[in-house]
Amino acid sequence: MLSDEVASLVTHTQKPRKSSKPSDSGADRSSASAADRKRVTETPTWGDVDDAVSESIESTTTGGELSISSDNEDTPKLVRTPAKKSAASLVRTEKGKVKLLDQNLPTRQVIQAAISEVKCHVMFVHGYPELVEKNQLSMRTLLSVAEKRGVDAIKERLQVDELYALQLGALVDARIPIMRRELKDDACTNVDGYFRLGHKDFTKAKTLTEKLVYIYAMKFDGNNNATPIRNRPYQGELLVLMISNQLFHSSRAVGVKFASRFVEIAKNKSKRPEIPIPFLALVATAVYSALLWKSLGSPGKFNFSGNQFSEVYSYHVKSLERLKHDAPGKFHYMMADIYEAAHKLKHNGATGDHIELNAFELLDLEGMEED
């Protein structure tokens, strides 16, 4: 009878276990049979659990430990002690992607601060950093932010874990084209209103891109034809609007969050805050891209990448640098006037949402007195 019961618990490839404590009594045989059945049903398996894909990717020192526990002497179980989660852990989606809002608080704070720093870099140093620094900018920024905030776990893992660094860096890098796309979209939304372009004024839009006409403040005749005011370069209403929208749209905007950077620039001949050359060149490039988009019939898909517009951006940077070298006094007053106009535009309540440019009157920058 005992052999019949044991055989029902094993496959044909297994041999029945022999009891290490033989007994002749029927009670003992029944007890042994029950223990064997319980042992088979409670043998642990190592299949994937349902939430495995969303577990944190821990550093190598925080993986948890295995220990043996038992409800009674006959049913030992393997139990994994929960790992102590590190600030440097990451959470992935079911498809293995790393999303900012899924991460723990220290990681989110480091990434968000790094994004702000990179935006600042785009405005003050280079509008297309990926053309000259590729992924190095985000890596340096993340390390710097983690060190400033005292999050040593993140700093140390960035230095030793290449995949971790790439995943965090990708979240930062993704914001750079988004920022430029916002500029391009702003320009495309307002280009018709400012330049008074009709639905099919493709040729007129193309003409405005020639000889950098679009960078000047404009005056219009009765037929809505634009004539540039030649002593007011880079002071057109559209450029000022776009600068204001980017710098002062909220308390988290670069012009507010990094106000001290503009104070540093104020140590110049005009003694006033100025618009940085890289940012002004990027805004001007966005206006050019919007006019080009209009001249092509306003296609639905239109990118604003460095591969397409880096030459236009570089031309504006070189032109502004040349003006700074040849006429430093006029250059500094012009850049300060642009900053002041954008700042006043914000405080007059004209920014925040897209507006029709012909629905308000901008400051007469030409009539402003010099310090």
Side-chain angles (χ1 to χ4, degrees), residues 289-308:
S289 76
L291 287 168
L292 180 60
W293 167 77
K294 177 70 176 182
S295 70
L296 295 174
S298 307
K301 187 176 181 180
F302 191 74
N303 294 324
F304 188 38
S305 67
N307 293 333
Q308 291 177 289

Side-chain angles (χ1 to χ4, degrees), residues 64-76:
E65 297 181 353
L66 286 174
S67 60
I68 299 176
S69 68
S70 175
D71 294 334
N72 54 60
E73 293 180 356
D74 295 326
T75 57

